[in-house]
């Protein structure tokens, strides 16, 4: 389980250290940085899949995703006596992401390349990455450390070995290194991060993939776009908790039951409802109903991830469905660590009543995202690796 998430210089997250529990509800007013937190975590997950630089480029490049405020605030600004003023940048550009759990911690530091005659002068580079054991980075806890192109690994005897093969500035050590004997921790951390699952804004328009008839293959994990919804629901029926699926549907739509229509191996989702003579097919379901089924399929996955992250799952759901959604989320948190970003008071209130849940309220202070009530949360200590 993750105990700490740390982000520096990513959009409005100038420096944010968040304590995490089994079920975390991230909330706060519009523009407080909830989606930025979601995106930062997704970016962190991409390091282990080799997509961090490409994803930054898709967001407009490192320059645009960097914190746009000053490196530090003058004392008079903090006291409210002076407006925020631009200062000359003294520190190097540094976007940092990290997490710590019971067993391991990981941090990555992205910056700009050294001046050279390469045309890729605006392409971010990975300056530093490291893995340590335990919740806090201490020199003695360091297990793997990457400085620029060089990776160093600490052996069982405590001696450091530098790998002969340098890594490219745009590759994470996590994707470039695959020898489980010399660095089992790296493989463990990588596999943990690769299992993280993110869902945001499923499409529910008329042409949404989830409404289409799809080849039915065993699907323990719902796709990001929900395209394999019917197969995922049938997989829950056959190898997962089918009873929980039926309960979740009946809970939200009294008297209703999901049916998977099999057109010679091609599956379509349908919902049998009270008072109707035939089940409604994928194309006929309302946006809210379809989205609820997508969320149910994601949350009842027979192969639960280590971490499940949802961004505003309440979107386009009728408020009456929110208590049922909260029950599904609470159930998922028994098998996965869960992080839900939400702006819906009813969902937040329902989740707050669940055992093991923790609310993290964000607020903007001088443009930067901060914990609204840091005193109420047990913010763990955090140390960034030095460059
Ligand atoms: N590079 C940046 N530096 C500072 N603030 C930023 C940057 N990029 C976006 N923001 C701010 O982040 C806010 C959006 O945060 P977001 O996470 O989408 O809010 P919400 O809590 O509504 O999901 C905007 O108000 C925007 O001003
Ligand atoms: Mg948002």
């Amino acid at each position: 389980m993750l105990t700490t998430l740390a982000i520096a210089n990513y959009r409005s997250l100038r420096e944010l250290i968040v304590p995490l529990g089994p079920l975390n509800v991230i909330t706060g007013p519009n523009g407080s940085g909830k989606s930025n937190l979601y995106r930062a975590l997704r970016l962190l997950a991409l390091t282990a899949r080799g997509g961090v630089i490409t994803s930054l480029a898709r967001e407009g490049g490192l320059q645009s995703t960097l914190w746009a405020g000053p490196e530090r605030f003058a004392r008079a600004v903090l006291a409210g006596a002076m407006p925020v003023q631009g200062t000359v940048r003294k520190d190097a550009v540094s976007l940092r992401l990290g997490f710590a759990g019971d067993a391991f911690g990981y941090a990555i530091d992205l910056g700009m390349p050294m001046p050279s005659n390469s045309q890729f002068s605006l392409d971010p580079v990975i300056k530093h990455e490291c893995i340590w054991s335990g919740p806090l980075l201490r020199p003695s806890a360091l297990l793997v450390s990457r400085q620029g192109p060089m990776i160093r690994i600490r052996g069982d005897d405590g001696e450091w070995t530098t790998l002969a093969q340098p890594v490219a500035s745009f590759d994470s050590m996590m994707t470039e290194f695959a020898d489980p004997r010399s660095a089992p921790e790296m493989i463990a951390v990588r596999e943990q991060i690769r299992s993280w699952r993110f869902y945001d804004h499923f499409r529910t328009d008329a042409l949404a993939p989830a409404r289409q008839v799809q080849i039915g293959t065993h699907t323990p994990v719902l796709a990001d776009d929900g395209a394999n919804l019917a197969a995922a629901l049938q997989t829950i029926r056959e190898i997962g908790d089918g009873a929980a699926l039926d309960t979740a549907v009946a809970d939200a739509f009294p008297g209703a039951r999901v049916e998977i229509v099999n057109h010679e191996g091609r599956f379509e989702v349908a919902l049998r409802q009270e008072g109707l003579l035939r089940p409604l097919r994928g194309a006929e379901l309302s946006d809210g109903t379809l989205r609820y089924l997508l969320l149910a399929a994601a949350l009842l996955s027979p192969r639960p991830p280590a971490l499940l992250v949802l961004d505003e799952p309440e979107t386009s759901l009728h408020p009456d469905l929110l208590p049922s959604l909260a029950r599904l989320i609470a159930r998922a948190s028994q098998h996965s660590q869960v992080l839900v970003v939400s702006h819906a008071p009813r969902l937040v209130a329902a989740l707050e009543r669940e055992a093991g849940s923790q609310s993290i309220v964000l607020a903007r202070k001088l443009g930067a995202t901060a914990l609204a009530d840091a005193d109420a949360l047990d913010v763990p200590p955090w140390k960034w690796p030095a460059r």
Side-chain angles (χ1 to χ4, degrees):
M1 191 177 92
L2 305 189
T3 50
T4 320
L5 173 65
I7 302 147
N9 291 322
Y10 178 80
R11 297 189 182 275
S12 61
L13 312 173
R14 191 173 86 94
E15 166 106 325
L16 191 72
I17 316 292
V18 186
L20 296 177
L23 172 52
N24 307 277
V25 187
I26 315 278
T27 183
N30 270 327
S32 55
K34 302 184 294 298
S35 297
N36 289 344
L37 181 71
Y38 174 86
R39 287 201 210 111
L41 190 52
R42 203 175 45 186
L43 200 56
L44 184 56
L46 282 170
T47 56
R49 295 180 184 270
V52 67
I53 304 276
T54 334
S55 173
L56 272 175
R58 225 176 291 127
E59 290 189 40
L62 180 60
Q63 297 295 347
S64 139
T65 44
L66 270 184
W67 157 244
E71 284 170 288
R72 35 186 90 70
F73 292 111
R75 210 168 290 161
V77 173
L78 291 174
M82 203 177 93
V84 176
Q85 283 175 334
T87 49
V88 178
R89 183 175 279 282
K90 292 199 198 81
D91 301 342
V93 165
S94 168
L95 190 167
R96 286 171 290 184
L97 305 165
F99 67 85
D102 308 318
F104 299 117
Y106 168 75
I108 182 168
D109 177 355
L110 294 135
M112 297 310 292
M114 302 296 266
S116 74
N117 37 19
S118 162
Q119 291 296 313
F120 296 101
S121 62
L122 290 178
D123 197 29
V125 297
I126 300 173
K127 297 279 185 184
H128 190 55
E129 279 180 287
C130 62
I131 292 174
W132 60 89
S133 68
L136 185 66
L137 171 60
R138 286 171 292 114
S140 60
L142 211 52
L143 298 168
V144 187
S145 170
R146 175 244 181 107
Q147 294 277 2
M150 304 318 283
I151 302 179
R152 288 188 313 142
I153 295 176
R154 195 203 297 260
D156 291 335
D157 53 3
E159 291 300 313
W160 286 97
T161 319
T162 303
L163 297 190
Q165 193 70 28
V167 276
S169 63
F170 47 87
D171 283 327
S172 163
M173 65 179 188
M174 304 258 246
T175 49
E176 289 311 290
F177 187 77
D179 179 9
R181 273 161 314 170
S182 48
E185 310 79 21
M186 181 135 70
I187 309 295
V189 173
R190 181 177 75 198
E191 292 316 305
Q192 183 195 353
I193 303 182
R194 283 188 178 171
S195 87
W196 296 358
R197 232 170 270 164
F198 296 79
Y199 292 105
D200 53 273
H201 308 110
F202 287 115
R203 269 180 61 190
T204 52
D205 56 283
L207 295 176
R211 294 190 190 275
Q212 315 304 319
V213 180
Q214 300 275 352
I215 292 279
T217 54
H218 283 94
T219 304
V221 180
L222 181 71
D224 293 352
D225 63 356
N228 50 13
L229 173 66
L233 291 170
Q234 186 60 28
T235 307
I236 293 169
R237 277 255 154 81
E238 294 191 14
I239 65 165
D241 195 343
L245 172 63
D246 289 338
T247 310
V249 171
D251 199 20
F253 314 105
R257 188 184 144 80
V258 165
E259 283 184 8
I260 304 305
V261 186
N262 186 340
H263 310 272
E264 295 177 352
R266 293 164 67 84
F267 291 2
E268 185 181 13
V269 67
L271 193 68
R272 188 169 283 282
Q273 279 163 298
E274 234 172 7
L276 297 188
L277 298 176
R278 62 169 182 86
L280 293 185
R281 298 290 178 84
E284 302 166 317
L285 297 175
S286 78
D287 287 4
T289 305
L290 184 63
R291 194 160 307 215
Y292 185 82
L293 295 180
L294 282 158
L295 288 163
L299 288 160
L300 293 169
S301 165
R303 201 167 288 162
L307 177 72
L308 180 65
V309 194
L310 305 173
D311 190 20
E312 302 201 350
E314 66 267 16
T315 309
S316 91
L317 288 192
H318 190 279
D320 289 347
L321 297 182
L322 297 181
S324 309
L325 176 60
R327 281 189 282 277
L328 270 172
I329 293 173
R331 182 192 177 283
S333 74
Q334 292 166 6
H335 308 282
S336 301
Q337 188 171 20
V338 178
L339 209 144
V340 185
V341 173
S342 175
H343 198 193
R346 265 184 87 177
L347 181 61
V348 173
L351 288 173
E352 276 171 350
R353 285 193 291 273
E354 297 294 337
S357 93
Q358 156 181 275
S359 275
I360 297 155
V361 186
L362 301 182
R364 290 286 284 284
K365 292 179 185 160
L366 290 172
T369 298
L371 297 175
D373 192 4
D375 297 340
L377 291 167
D378 209 357
V379 182
W382 179 262
K383 260 184 132 62
W384 289 111
R387 262 197 193 166

